[in-house]
Amino acid sequence: MFENPSSEPQLSVRLRADWLAGILRADQVRHDTLVSLAVAWGSDEAREDISLQLDALAEAMQSPREGELDHLVQAVEDAAAMDYPEVEIDLRAALRLRAELDAVIEALGRFNPAATARPVLLARQQDRRAS
């Protein structure tokens, strides 16, 4: 496993080991998903529907067709009455994530630095040049 340099790896952005992509890690999403599934599993009626949907998903995994997995995953989520996979972040976490994402963007854009410039910064630079 690749070392995550974040001070809070459970919610972080880092480079993939080959530096060709970034990776967003949000452990809270998986936690909330499993808790939501377990809560729904407590209802006998929901358990049967969830079980049927999971069986269909497992069967499709043998040779999935395009778009089929998304539909089947959605069916499991619907059967378990799951909310959207969202994570709230406060200002401190947002600033930390922005710094981590900026580092990833810089590395990903190493061969095309102009593509990594922020639009706001580009606009400011153009304004300065025009003055």
Side-chain angles (χ1 to χ4, degrees):
M1 205 159 171
F2 188 74
E3 171 113 6
N4 191 328
S6 177
S7 60
E8 296 182 34
Q10 64 277 11
L11 178 62
S12 59
V13 179
R14 66 172 170 83
L15 272 173
R16 198 170 68 188
D18 62 8
W19 283 38
L20 296 176
I23 296 174
L24 170 65
R25 179 174 163 184
D27 292 2
Q28 191 66 44
V29 171
R30 180 177 12 199
H31 174 271
D32 292 350
T33 299
L34 290 173
V35 167
S36 178
L37 183 60
V39 167
W41 196 264
S43 160
D44 290 337
E45 185 178 309
R47 182 181 311 132
E48 185 176 331
D49 192 20
I50 294 168
S51 183
L52 289 171
Q53 300 304 331
L54 284 171
D55 285 344
L57 179 58
E59 187 177 313
M61 295 303 295
Q62 304 306 315
S63 58
R65 293 186 301 265
E66 186 175 337
E68 182 181 28
L69 293 182
D70 291 339
H71 173 73
L72 292 170
V73 167
Q74 184 64 49
V76 172
E77 292 172 345
D78 290 346
M82 293 181 175
D83 288 331
Y84 291 113
E86 300 174 329
V87 176
E88 289 186 15
I89 56 173
D90 59 17
L91 178 59
R92 185 187 60 75
L95 293 170
R96 179 182 53 78
L97 288 168
R98 180 174 66 184
E100 292 175 8
L101 189 55
D102 283 344
V104 167
I105 290 169
E106 185 177 329
L108 293 175
R110 65 194 176 279
F111 299 118
N112 187 2
T116 66
R118 290 186 182 167
V120 171
L121 296 177
L122 286 176
R124 287 182 190 159
Q125 290 170 354
Q126 289 171 351
D127 289 344
R128 284 187 205 136
R129 288 183 193 139
S131 308

